[in-house]
């Protein structure tokens, strides 16, 4: 489990995230919400050691982040960034990159690595594009491939920065459903998202950042009742009870 303790981080000597204490518990989907520029991406990157901290501590299964090698960190937590360059390789080779933390030098994939990549592609509904070059894929198809790469890493914690970018509504729902299945398998899933109704309906817990500080943290029900979402986004988030649970909408 990843634990943030009074975490501060930023760029060029200016903090974007200020004193955040937050846990990413296994078996749950945590939606990281907040207005543009509030520090969601910064927090995820600092939690993985991809961005230096200016204060606080990050613990991975109780061990300080800086005491673990990059390979060990990658075995414990996978990261799906918001955007990345599109390499000139096939989708299948892209997914195999997720196996790198499991390989010693030189990186020669074994049968179990190919099997893990195959499972991840099927899981992400991307097996049909496996032989195609990444540059030929649509934005939504590439996003599925990147998700499969993260799944192939087989880490107990998965951090995703805007995983529904480029996806239509149907595929956004599929990503949330996939996150829930991963949590049911016992993984900790953290998703930075912009779609409030999607997050409120699909996530177990909500962490709301506002101005780089943790403005609210709890179940979707608790955060909704606090009114913190309306204050942070300047919108009126409302809900109606249905047979399948609460449906959230902008009032």
């Amino acid at each position: 489990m990843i634990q943030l303790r009074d975490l501060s981080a930023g760029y060029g000597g200016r903090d974007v995230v200020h004193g955040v204490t937050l846990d990413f518990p296994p078996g749950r989907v945590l939606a990281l919400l907040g207005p543009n520029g509030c520090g969601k991406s910064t927090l995820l990157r600092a939690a993985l050691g991809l961005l230096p901290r200016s204060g606080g501590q990050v613990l991975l299964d109780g061990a300080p982040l800086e005491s673990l090698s990059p390979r060990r960190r990658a075995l414990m937590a996978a990261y799906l960034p918001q955007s990345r360059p599109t390499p000139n390789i096939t989708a299948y080779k892209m997914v195999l990159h997720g196996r790198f933390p499991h390989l010693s030098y030189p990186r020669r994939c074994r049968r179990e690595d190919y099997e893990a990549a195959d499972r991840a592609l099927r899981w992400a509904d991307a097996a049909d594009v496996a032989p195609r070059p990444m540059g030929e894929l649509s934005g939504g198809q590439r996003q599925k491939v990147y998700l499969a790469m993260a799944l192939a890493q087989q880490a107990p914690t998965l951090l995703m920065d805007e995983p529904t970018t480029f996806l239509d509504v149907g595929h956004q729902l599929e990503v949330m459903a996939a996150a829930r299945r991963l949590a049911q398998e016992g993984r900790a899933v953290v998703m930075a998202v912009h779609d409030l109704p999607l997050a409120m309906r699909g996530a177990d817990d909500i962490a709301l950042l506002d101005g780089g500080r943790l403005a609210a943290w709890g179940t979707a029900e608790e955060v909704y009742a606090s009114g913190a979402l309306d204050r942070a986004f300047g919108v009126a988030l409302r809900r109606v009870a249905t047979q399948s649970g609460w449906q959230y909408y902008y009032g």
Side-chain angles (χ1 to χ4, degrees), residues 109-216:
C109 290
R110 305 150 299 179
R111 183 178 67 180
E112 56 262 41
D113 301 309
Y114 293 113
E115 290 174 348
D118 290 339
R119 285 195 302 271
L121 280 161
R122 291 193 299 269
W123 215 97
D125 191 27
D128 59 325
V129 302
R132 295 176 56 187
M134 289 292 292
E136 293 183 2
L137 304 183
S138 68
Q141 289 170 327
R142 284 198 298 270
Q143 197 73 343
K144 286 184 176 182
V145 172
Y146 292 137
L147 175 60
M149 182 180 67
L151 295 179
Q153 198 168 324
Q154 294 181 325
T157 298
L158 176 60
L159 276 58
M160 299 187 283
D161 192 358
E162 300 292 345
T164 57
T165 300
F166 306 121
L167 300 183
D168 58 33
V169 173
H171 288 107
Q172 289 177 17
L173 294 173
E174 287 181 8
V175 169
M176 182 58 75
R180 295 213 56 82
R181 293 199 305 273
L182 289 169
Q184 289 166 5
E185 294 174 1
R187 300 199 205 191
V189 182
V190 182
M191 306 171 62
V193 293
H194 276 301
D195 191 320
L196 299 187
L198 177 69
M200 296 297 290
R201 179 168 172 77
D204 298 300
D205 302 307
I206 302 293
L208 173 65
L209 291 180
D210 192 11
R213 301 184 185 279
L214 189 61

Side-chain angles (χ1 to χ4, degrees), residues 7 12 33 46 52 69-70 76 96 109 111 161 172 187 244:
L7 173 69
L33 304 180
S69 67
M76 298 171 73
L96 280 174
C109 290
R111 183 178 67 180
D161 192 358
Q172 289 177 17
R187 300 199 205 191
S244 59

Side-chain angles (χ1 to χ4, degrees), residues 173 176 180 195-204 206 219-225 229 237-250:
L173 294 173
M176 182 58 75
R180 295 213 56 82
D195 191 320
L196 299 187
L198 177 69
M200 296 297 290
R201 179 168 172 77
D204 298 300
I206 302 293
T219 65
E221 176 75 20
E222 292 168 341
V223 172
Y224 175 81
L229 291 166
L237 186 67
R238 298 295 177 258
R239 66 183 184 181
V240 59
T242 70
Q243 290 183 344
S244 59
W246 291 110
Q247 293 286 350
Y248 292 85
Y249 63 96
Y250 300 111

Side-chain angles (χ1 to χ4, degrees), residues 15-40:
D15 282 350
V16 177
V17 172
H18 308 274
V20 171
T21 294
L22 186 61
D23 292 346
F24 301 157
R28 298 183 72 82
V29 177
L30 171 68
L32 187 60
L33 304 180
N36 288 336
C38 71
K40 298 187 296 296

